[in-house]
Amino acid sequence: MKRLTVTGNIGRDPELRLDPSGHQFASFSIGVSVGSKQTPKTDWLEITCNGKLAEIICTYGRKGTKVLIDGFPAVSAYINKENQPVGTLRVYANSIELLNRVDIDQSSSNAATAESDELEHVLSAEEF
């Protein structure tokens, strides 16, 4: 069984899209810090999720948000336009936890509390 748990910062706002059969999914990238303080490096991973998890990450996840993602990895390789080999690591997320404070409009505290409770419950539970 392949399983990957990773923590990083969202590098671009998640995009919600529909596949040909009408199911929604979201994709975004995260930057993961690797290396030492003397030689810092960032690895970029592509993340894909679907269903309610996709809706929620598109609503509350923004560029810079720190996330903890649990899912399974898929590696692909191809030759780019410059005839150079390129490899990518995509993670299909089963669960996503937001590690930063979520900014919620405080104009209606009851609605904000309900949204916050729903977000906490859904993001920390496994989707499938």
Side-chain angles (χ1 to χ4, degrees):
M1 180 169 149
K2 296 188 294 183
R3 186 173 176 179
L4 180 69
T5 302
V6 63
T7 301
N9 294 324
I10 296 177
R12 61 179 163 81
D13 288 348
E15 300 173 33
L16 189 63
R17 293 182 279 180
L18 295 175
D19 67 13
S21 62
H23 296 99
Q24 61 187 6
F25 68 97
S27 60
F28 57 99
S29 61
I30 64 167
V32 179
S33 297
V34 295
S36 64
K37 287 185 179 183
Q38 294 78 20
T39 57
K41 184 179 182 254
T42 301
D43 284 344
W44 290 95
L45 307 175
E46 290 296 317
I47 310 297
T48 299
C49 58
N50 57 22
K52 186 72 170 172
L53 191 57
E55 279 183 47
I56 291 172
I57 196 63
C58 287
T59 302
Y60 296 102
R62 297 283 175 260
K63 180 178 179 177
T65 302
K66 191 173 191 81
V67 292
L68 172 71
I69 296 176
D70 183 59
F72 60 94
V75 178
S76 63
Y78 61 94
I79 305 294
N80 67 12
K81 293 177 185 175
E82 291 80 36
N83 221 16
Q84 300 293 318
V86 177
T88 61
L89 176 61
R90 179 171 299 278
V91 177
Y92 293 93
N94 291 325
S95 68
I96 300 174
E97 289 185 44
L98 301 177
L99 301 178
N100 291 36
R101 183 189 145 175
V102 178
D103 292 327
I104 298 175
D105 181 14
Q106 295 299 324
S107 61
S108 172
S109 62
N110 291 342
T113 303
E115 287 178 13
S116 179
D117 291 345
E118 175 189 351
L119 174 67
E120 216 172 280
H121 172 72
V122 174
L123 286 178
S124 61
E126 291 206 354
E127 177 82 1
F128 304 103

